[in-house]
Amino acid sequence: GLGATPRRRERALMNVTRAHIQALAPPPCRREARAAARAGTARNTPPPATKVVRGRPAANTVAKAKAASSPAESATSVGALRAGPPRLALPSKGRMAEDTLALLKSCQLGVRKPNPRQYVAEVPSLPGLEVWFQRASDIVRRLQYGDVDVGFLGYDMFHEFAHGNDDLIIVHDALRYGGCHLALGVPSKGDFAEVHSIDDLKSMGWSKDNPLKVVTGYHNTAKQFFEENGMSDQVAFLAADGALEAAPYMGCADIILDLVSTGTTLRENNLKEIVGGRVIESEGIMVASRRALKERPGLLEMVKQILERLEAHLKAEEFFLVTTNIRAESESEIADQMLQNGIGGLQGPTVSPVFSSGLRSQRLYAASVCVRKKNLHDTIKSLRGMGGTGVLVSELTYIFDEEPWRWTELLKKLED
């Protein structure tokens, strides 16, 4: 575990033992099952009845959209809870990793990683919490296997690899980074030039013998989407991890299904989105294991601290604090004027007398109110119309409610 002093904590993080790494490996039962399966194949005998599929489905094997919910896929559904401290998994690479770390830092939950080549770290403000850096897709798997307890990732990864798994709970569904959507990319030229909607695509005469070839890294999500659109037996899925945009013009696929942020990459590769072709919206989310939240000592309290800071910071990002001086006969007169002008803030304006050199300035009051950023200039105009002077605008770091509504919702989920 982590020691009580900074020096001991650093030594523990710098010298990651083999036991730490092996803790993230599949339990022996899964390794033995795979070894037995390979041995059985070599002797032309059937593999064991229980087979764990851990990677993305192969090109000729479309996994079920809710495969992650099967007991064989989730170590949290059987066996004892992993021993050891609570663990948090974060994305290890790319923009998602950068944005996750930036958000945590802005919430006073900065991650300390002494050795950039290692995958284990800590959050000094949450003693006892281990942080592990993983690929986004592996974060879902580690949660399912019970190797980690909480994770930050994109909703697209969660939907693809964990949809239907009752043990995994979305603690926060809108972290406001990593915004994108999963959509079809259709050639803008050739046979697809006049295809502008999903109905146009369906009317092109696809069949089981002449299927629509879709290249994607999201096979479970893709299968579910085409089933909902009545094309389950008219589509063939091809696997790819990168450079999907080139596939249609190389002739190896008809269309693609991939993440889209601005659409620039699609357009530069002569692809387009179509009406009805948007599959899911995605952004950063926080996910946790239901079983771990219930049974691991100290985890639920840590999650509450993280959730409260996230909620307070994200809410504060929507507002400015505006303060101005106004002359009037009384505080209530100013408050009434502000409310009549729609300047009510969170729970109403705060009005107090202004003092100069220890003496109260005659009929001069300071009025403060939280204003949504999009309404700032209209608010300043209204305050000036009331005689406001010396208008101050301040950034807010946190707005703590009595208790975040997402925390209340989480407790309800744990009772189910």
Side-chain angles (χ1 to χ4, degrees):
L2 299 178
T5 66
R7 184 179 295 276
R8 283 185 178 176
R9 288 200 300 269
E10 183 169 350
R11 188 180 298 119
L13 291 169
M14 293 290 288
N15 299 291
V16 180
T17 64
R18 179 172 298 178
H20 276 111
I21 301 300
Q22 288 178 343
L24 287 182
C29 60
R30 288 196 290 272
R31 291 199 297 271
E32 292 168 3
R34 289 200 297 273
R38 288 195 295 270
T41 303
R43 295 192 301 269
N44 295 319
T45 58
T50 301
K51 181 179 180 182
V52 179
V53 181
R54 298 188 59 195
R56 288 188 180 181
N60 60 346
T61 304
V62 180
K64 294 182 178 180
K66 296 187 179 181
S69 63
S70 64
E73 285 280 319
S74 177
T76 58
S77 61
V78 293
L81 188 71
R82 170 187 59 80
R87 285 177 175 168
L88 168 66
L90 301 179
S92 58
K93 296 180 180 179
R95 183 66 179 271
M96 201 72 181
E98 296 172 2
D99 290 347
T100 301
L101 292 175
L103 175 62
L104 291 175
K105 184 177 181 180
S106 66
C107 297
Q108 305 301 311
L109 293 168
V111 177
R112 182 171 173 271
K113 187 179 182 183
N115 189 338
R117 294 182 180 273
Q118 292 181 343
Y119 291 92
V120 63
E122 66 172 350
V123 178
S125 59
L126 291 175
L129 176 66
E130 287 186 1
V131 177
W132 289 84
F133 289 92
Q134 297 284 294
R135 293 191 309 173
S137 58
D138 287 339
I139 290 176
V140 184
R141 297 188 181 104
R142 297 307 178 196
L143 285 164
Q144 291 172 341
Y145 301 152
D147 297 325
V148 299
D149 307 307
V150 185
F152 284 71
L153 65 153
Y155 178 72
D156 59 305
M157 289 286 103
F158 179 82
H159 188 277
E160 173 66 12
F161 293 104
H163 184 70
N165 187 320
D166 293 335
D167 181 62
L168 300 187
I169 300 175
I170 296 180
V171 178
H172 201 299
D173 61 350
L175 295 176
R176 298 184 195 167
Y177 69 86
C180 58
H181 59 275
L182 194 63
L184 301 182
V186 176
S188 55
K189 300 179 181 179
D191 294 340
F192 294 87
E194 300 303 319
V195 174
H196 303 292
S197 68
I198 189 68
D199 290 333
D200 294 338
L201 185 65
K202 292 165 65 175
S203 66
M204 294 182 70
W206 309 108
S207 65
K208 187 174 183 180
D209 296 327
N210 178 37
L212 173 69
K213 293 183 291 183
V214 181
V215 61
T216 183
Y218 295 83
H219 284 245
N220 296 336
T221 304
K223 182 182 180 184
Q224 183 180 5
F225 173 76
F226 283 104
E227 283 179 347
E228 292 172 353
N229 282 277
M231 297 181 67
S232 57
D233 59 347
Q234 303 170 17
V235 181
F237 299 108
L238 308 177
D241 291 323
L244 272 64
E245 293 82 4
Y249 290 98
M250 289 178 67
C252 54
D254 295 309
I255 66 173
I256 73 170
L257 191 154
D258 200 14
L259 289 179
V260 180
S261 295
T262 63
T264 301
T265 304
L266 284 182
R267 292 189 295 271
E268 290 181 349
N269 286 275
N270 295 312
L271 298 173
K272 63 187 177 184
E273 291 189 62
I274 59 175
V275 176
R278 184 170 292 202
V279 183
I280 59 171
E281 301 290 336
S282 181
E283 66 179 298
I285 63 173
M286 178 182 175
V287 181
S289 162
R290 181 193 304 269
R291 182 181 180 188
L293 289 173
K294 287 183 174 182
E295 300 181 16
R296 187 170 305 287
L299 176 62
L300 189 60
E301 179 58 32
M302 286 184 177
V303 168
K304 182 179 182 180
Q305 289 189 48
I306 295 172
L307 186 57
E308 282 190 328
R309 297 193 195 190
L310 289 172
E311 287 282 79
H313 176 68
L314 292 173
K315 185 172 183 178
E317 282 190 332
E318 300 177 7
F319 293 89
F320 285 122
L321 177 62
V322 178
T323 302
T324 185
N325 292 335
I326 304 176
R327 292 193 179 277
E329 294 298 328
S330 65
E331 294 99 322
S332 59
E333 179 185 340
I334 296 174
D336 289 341
Q337 289 186 57
M338 293 178 69
L339 292 172
Q340 289 173 11
N341 283 278
I343 310 174
L346 298 176
Q347 295 179 329
T350 299
V351 184
S352 57
V354 174
F355 291 83
S356 177
S357 300
L359 299 176
R360 178 173 173 176
S361 297
Q362 188 175 9
R363 297 186 301 124
L364 184 63
Y365 299 90
S368 298
V369 66
C370 286
V371 177
R372 290 193 179 276
K373 290 184 175 181
K374 63 181 181 180
N375 298 331
L376 175 63
H377 294 289
D378 289 339
T379 299
I380 293 176
K381 183 178 179 180
S382 295
L383 290 174
R384 284 174 172 170
M386 295 168 52
T389 59
V391 180
L392 303 179
V393 180
S394 306
E395 293 275 2
L396 294 172
T397 304
Y398 299 107
I399 297 177
F400 285 98
D401 291 322
E402 292 184 8
E403 196 166 77
W405 68 268
R406 283 189 171 89
W407 171 249
T408 305
E409 289 298 312
L410 176 60
L411 295 180
K412 290 180 181 178
K413 292 177 182 178
L414 294 178
E415 292 174 357
D416 294 340

